[in-house]
Amino acid sequence: MTALELDAVAKHYTTGGEIVRAVDGVSLTVLPGEIVALYGPSGSGKTTLLELAAGTQTPDRGTVRFGGVDLATLSYADAASYRRSLGFVFQRFYLHPGTSALDNAAMKLLFAGWTPRRAKLHAMEWLKRVGLEKRARHTPSKLSMGEQQRVVIARALAGEPKLILADEPTASLDTERGRATLALLSGICHERGVGMLLATHDPDAAAFADRVCDLRDGVLTERADHLPADRGPDVARA
Ligand SMILES: Nc1ncnc2c1ncn2[C@@H]1O[C@H](COP(=O)(O)OP(=O)(O)OP(=O)(O)O)[C@@H](O)[C@H]1O
Ligand SMILES: [Mg+2]
C-alpha cells in the first residue's frame, strides 16, 4: 500500500550556535485518498515536515517511509524518481511565465519523456477538469491568482502523483477562491485515491482535511473532534 509513514521523525537546525528543533518526534501516516492537515502557526515546522516527506531533507532521528520503503535507503536516482512521483502545490505557483497554461500543465509529462502531442492531450483533460479549457492558450500573467493555482493543480495531477504535498496552497488567494480551490483539490484527491499532506495556518483550509494534526514547535497532536468541511453536515444529520 502506498502510504506515507513518518515514525518518530526529528529534524533540527543549528544557526549561530542556537539549536532549533523544527520537527521534534513526529509520527504520522497518510493513507491513499486521505487528506491530512498540518495545522500550525509560522515557524511550527510545517514546511520542514513536508521536506522530510519529499525526501529533500533527511531526518536526524526516526524514519520516513513511502510504500514501506525507508527514503533514507534510496539511491540518488531512486530518490529523484520518488520526488517525480509526488505532486507539489505551493503558495507561490512557480509557473513558467512565458508559457501557456496548457504547456505549463504538460511540463511534468514532457520532462518524463511523453511526446508533446500526448502530453498536451493529457494536460488538456486536466485543464478541463479544473475548468480552464478556455484559458489553455493564456500565459500565467493573463490569468487570475485562482486560475493560476488551478493550472498548478492540473500540472500536479496530470503527472498522476502518488501523493500530494501542499504548502499553504491557498495563502495567495482570497477566502472564497481559497475555499473553491481546496474543494476542487480535495475532491480530486478523494475521487482518485491520492493522499495529501496539507500544511496550513488557515482554519478554513484545514477544514477540508479528513484529519487535522496540530503542530506547535515541531510537536504534533492529532485532533479527535474534527469534522471535514465537505462532510460535516452529513455527519451532523446522521
Ligand atoms: N534552513 C534553515 N536553517 C535554520 N533554521 C531553519 C531553516 N529552515 C527552517 N528553520 C527554522 O525551523 C523552524 C520551522 O520552520 P518551518 O519553515 O518548517 O516552519 P513553517 O511552519 O513552515 O513556518 P511558515 O508558516 O512561516 O512557513 C523555524 O523556527 C525556522 O526558523
Ligand atoms: Mg512554511
Side-chain angles (χ1 to χ4, degrees):
M1 189 172 58
T2 47
L4 172 75
E5 296 164 285
L6 279 70
D7 187 14
V9 169
K11 177 76 190 174
H12 78 276
Y13 298 108
T14 310
T15 324
E18 196 194 326
I19 295 176
V20 178
R21 297 192 194 289
V23 172
D24 200 1
V26 166
S27 296
L28 170 71
T29 300
V30 184
L31 298 172
E34 186 181 37
I35 299 168
V36 178
L38 296 172
Y39 178 67
S42 180
S44 57
K46 303 181 298 292
T47 297
T48 305
L49 252 183
L50 290 184
E51 288 171 347
L52 290 162
T56 50
Q57 293 270 15
T58 40
D60 309 323
R61 283 189 287 114
T63 49
V64 181
R65 287 188 298 271
F66 188 78
V69 178
D70 182 350
L71 299 189
T73 66
L74 294 178
S75 66
Y76 185 82
D78 286 345
S81 150
Y82 166 64
R83 281 195 295 279
R84 280 196 300 274
S85 79
L86 304 176
F88 294 98
V89 183
F90 297 139
Q91 173 183 356
R92 296 191 56 209
F93 309 131
Y94 300 110
L95 292 168
H96 202 281
T99 305
S100 70
L102 179 61
D103 285 347
N104 268 288
M107 196 85 65
K108 244 187 127 170
L109 304 174
L110 292 168
F111 281 129
W114 291 40
T115 62
R117 187 184 142 72
R118 199 170 146 241
K120 285 183 189 191
L121 278 174
H122 190 68
M124 193 63 188
E125 287 306 308
W126 277 104
L127 283 183
K128 278 187 195 152
R129 179 71 177 79
V130 301
L132 280 182
E133 66 270 36
K134 296 210 169 78
R135 296 280 187 279
R137 304 279 158 212
H138 292 217
T139 53
S141 64
K142 304 281 191 316
L143 299 173
S144 74
M145 302 284 250
E147 286 169 343
Q148 289 183 59
Q149 194 60 308
R150 281 189 275 153
V151 176
V152 172
I153 292 170
R155 179 179 64 187
L157 270 305
E160 281 166 24
K162 292 180 180 158
L163 175 74
I164 290 188
L165 299 178
D167 199 352
E168 305 282 6
T170 56
S172 298
L173 308 176
D174 62 42
T175 309
E176 271 320 302
R177 270 182 228 291
R179 281 201 193 126
T181 302
L182 268 174
L184 177 70
L185 185 55
S186 59
I188 295 171
C189 284
H190 285 144
E191 167 197 308
R192 318 273 302 186
V194 179
M196 172 158 67
L197 196 52
L198 165 68
T200 185
H201 64 266
D202 174 4
D204 269 351
F208 281 91
D210 302 308
R211 295 197 285 126
V212 177
C213 297
D214 287 310
L215 198 59
R216 291 281 181 287
D217 297 327
V219 178
L220 189 135
T221 19
E222 185 161 341
R223 262 189 232 168
D225 60 348
H226 171 69
L227 290 181
D230 50 346
R231 298 186 196 171
D234 289 329
V235 176
R237 270 202 301 273

